[in-house]
mmCIF file of all heavy atoms in Angstrom:
data_model
loop_
_atom_site.group_PDB
_atom_site.id
_atom_site.type_symbol
_atom_site.label_atom_id
_atom_site.label_comp_id
_atom_site.label_asym_id
_atom_site.label_seq_id
_atom_site.Cartn_x
_atom_site.Cartn_y
_atom_site.Cartn_z
ATOM 1 N N HIS A 165 -15.707 -19.184 49.655
ATOM 2 C CA HIS A 165 -16.203 -18.612 48.399
ATOM 3 C C HIS A 165 -16.717 -19.685 47.441
ATOM 4 O O HIS A 165 -16.741 -19.473 46.225
ATOM 5 C CB HIS A 165 -15.093 -17.801 47.710
ATOM 6 C CG HIS A 165 -14.675 -16.571 48.458
ATOM 7 N ND1 HIS A 165 -13.789 -16.608 49.510
ATOM 8 C CD2 HIS A 165 -15.048 -15.270 48.319
ATOM 9 C CE1 HIS A 165 -13.609 -15.392 49.971
ATOM 10 N NE2 HIS A 165 -14.359 -14.556 49.282
ATOM 11 N N LEU A 166 -17.136 -20.829 47.964
ATOM 12 C CA LEU A 166 -17.653 -21.883 47.099
ATOM 13 C C LEU A 166 -18.942 -21.492 46.398
ATOM 14 O O LEU A 166 -19.300 -22.066 45.366
ATOM 15 C CB LEU A 166 -17.880 -23.162 47.917
ATOM 16 C CG LEU A 166 -16.622 -23.956 48.298
ATOM 17 C CD1 LEU A 166 -16.983 -25.179 49.124
ATOM 18 C CD2 LEU A 166 -15.850 -24.370 47.039
ATOM 19 N N ASP A 167 -19.645 -20.496 46.950
ATOM 20 C CA ASP A 167 -20.871 -20.046 46.289
ATOM 21 C C ASP A 167 -20.576 -19.365 44.955
ATOM 22 O O ASP A 167 -21.480 -19.163 44.137
ATOM 23 C CB ASP A 167 -21.632 -19.091 47.205
ATOM 24 C CG ASP A 167 -20.803 -17.875 47.583
ATOM 25 O OD1 ASP A 167 -19.577 -18.025 47.755
ATOM 26 O OD2 ASP A 167 -21.383 -16.781 47.709
ATOM 27 N N GLN A 168 -19.311 -19.010 44.703
ATOM 28 C CA GLN A 168 -18.922 -18.385 43.441
ATOM 29 C C GLN A 168 -18.365 -19.392 42.438
ATOM 30 O O GLN A 168 -17.902 -19.001 41.368
ATOM 31 C CB GLN A 168 -17.878 -17.298 43.718
ATOM 32 C CG GLN A 168 -18.353 -16.206 44.659
ATOM 33 C CD GLN A 168 -17.231 -15.245 45.044
ATOM 34 O OE1 GLN A 168 -16.106 -15.348 44.551
ATOM 35 N NE2 GLN A 168 -17.535 -14.304 45.934
ATOM 36 N N ALA A 169 -18.384 -20.667 42.784
ATOM 37 C CA ALA A 169 -17.825 -21.699 41.904
ATOM 38 C C ALA A 169 -18.523 -21.688 40.550
ATOM 39 O O ALA A 169 -19.737 -21.478 40.450
ATOM 40 C CB ALA A 169 -17.947 -23.071 42.557
ATOM 41 N N LEU A 170 -17.750 -21.922 39.506
ATOM 42 C CA LEU A 170 -18.274 -21.907 38.145
ATOM 43 C C LEU A 170 -18.720 -23.279 37.665
ATOM 44 O O LEU A 170 -19.242 -23.402 36.560
ATOM 45 C CB LEU A 170 -17.202 -21.357 37.192
ATOM 46 C CG LEU A 170 -16.698 -19.946 37.505
ATOM 47 C CD1 LEU A 170 -15.622 -19.538 36.513
ATOM 48 C CD2 LEU A 170 -17.849 -18.945 37.485
ATOM 49 N N ILE A 171 -18.498 -24.317 38.470
ATOM 50 C CA ILE A 171 -18.945 -25.664 38.116
ATOM 51 C C ILE A 171 -19.767 -26.232 39.269
ATOM 52 O O ILE A 171 -19.555 -25.884 40.438
ATOM 53 C CB ILE A 171 -17.757 -26.599 37.806
ATOM 54 C CG1 ILE A 171 -16.763 -26.613 38.975
ATOM 55 C CG2 ILE A 171 -17.076 -26.209 36.518
ATOM 56 C CD1 ILE A 171 -15.605 -27.560 38.781
ATOM 57 N N LYS A 172 -20.695 -27.070 38.904
ATOM 58 C CA LYS A 172 -21.543 -27.709 39.919
ATOM 59 C C LYS A 172 -21.947 -29.088 39.415
ATOM 60 O O LYS A 172 -21.765 -29.427 38.230
ATOM 61 C CB LYS A 172 -22.776 -26.855 40.200
ATOM 62 C CG LYS A 172 -23.684 -26.636 39.013
ATOM 63 C CD LYS A 172 -24.848 -25.733 39.377
ATOM 64 C CE LYS A 172 -25.809 -25.548 38.211
ATOM 65 N NZ LYS A 172 -25.180 -24.872 37.048
ATOM 66 N N LYS A 173 -22.502 -29.873 40.314
ATOM 67 C CA LYS A 173 -22.936 -31.216 39.962
ATOM 68 C C LYS A 173 -23.955 -31.166 38.837
ATOM 69 O O LYS A 173 -24.887 -30.368 38.848
ATOM 70 C CB LYS A 173 -23.552 -31.906 41.197
ATOM 71 C CG LYS A 173 -23.994 -33.339 40.947
ATOM 72 C CD LYS A 173 -24.526 -33.986 42.210
ATOM 73 C CE LYS A 173 -24.977 -35.415 41.936
ATOM 74 N NZ LYS A 173 -25.474 -36.082 43.159
ATOM 75 N N GLY A 174 -23.749 -32.024 37.838
ATOM 76 C CA GLY A 174 -24.648 -32.061 36.686
ATOM 77 C C GLY A 174 -24.139 -31.304 35.488
ATOM 78 O O GLY A 174 -24.662 -31.455 34.383
ATOM 79 N N ASP A 175 -23.100 -30.453 35.668
ATOM 80 C CA ASP A 175 -22.526 -29.729 34.535
ATOM 81 C C ASP A 175 -21.747 -30.688 33.638
ATOM 82 O O ASP A 175 -21.258 -31.732 34.098
ATOM 83 C CB ASP A 175 -21.587 -28.632 35.027
ATOM 84 C CG ASP A 175 -22.338 -27.442 35.592
ATOM 85 O OD1 ASP A 175 -23.557 -27.369 35.381
ATOM 86 O OD2 ASP A 175 -21.706 -26.578 36.239
ATOM 87 N N PRO A 176 -21.580 -30.359 32.360
ATOM 88 C CA PRO A 176 -20.749 -31.185 31.484
ATOM 89 C C PRO A 176 -19.310 -31.241 31.973
ATOM 90 O O PRO A 176 -18.766 -30.242 32.468
ATOM 91 C CB PRO A 176 -20.846 -30.471 30.121
ATOM 92 C CG PRO A 176 -22.093 -29.659 30.199
ATOM 93 C CD PRO A 176 -22.232 -29.246 31.626
ATOM 94 N N PHE A 177 -18.696 -32.411 31.838
ATOM 95 C CA PHE A 177 -17.292 -32.566 32.196
ATOM 96 C C PHE A 177 -16.470 -32.029 31.018
ATOM 97 O O PHE A 177 -15.923 -32.769 30.210
ATOM 98 C CB PHE A 177 -16.985 -34.036 32.475
ATOM 99 C CG PHE A 177 -15.558 -34.284 32.886
ATOM 100 C CD1 PHE A 177 -15.100 -33.839 34.108
ATOM 101 C CD2 PHE A 177 -14.688 -34.962 32.050
ATOM 102 C CE1 PHE A 177 -13.781 -34.065 34.493
ATOM 103 C CE2 PHE A 177 -13.382 -35.197 32.427
ATOM 104 C CZ PHE A 177 -12.917 -34.742 33.642
ATOM 105 N N ALA A 178 -16.416 -30.688 30.929
ATOM 106 C CA ALA A 178 -15.838 -30.019 29.774
ATOM 107 C C ALA A 178 -14.577 -29.264 30.174
ATOM 108 O O ALA A 178 -14.484 -28.700 31.267
ATOM 109 C CB ALA A 178 -16.851 -29.048 29.157
#
Side-chain angles (χ1 to χ4, degrees):
H165 294 82
L166 285 179
D167 59 324
Q168 301 173 4
L170 301 179
I171 54 177
K172 61 182 182 297
K173 182 177 179 179
D175 285 347
F177 181 69

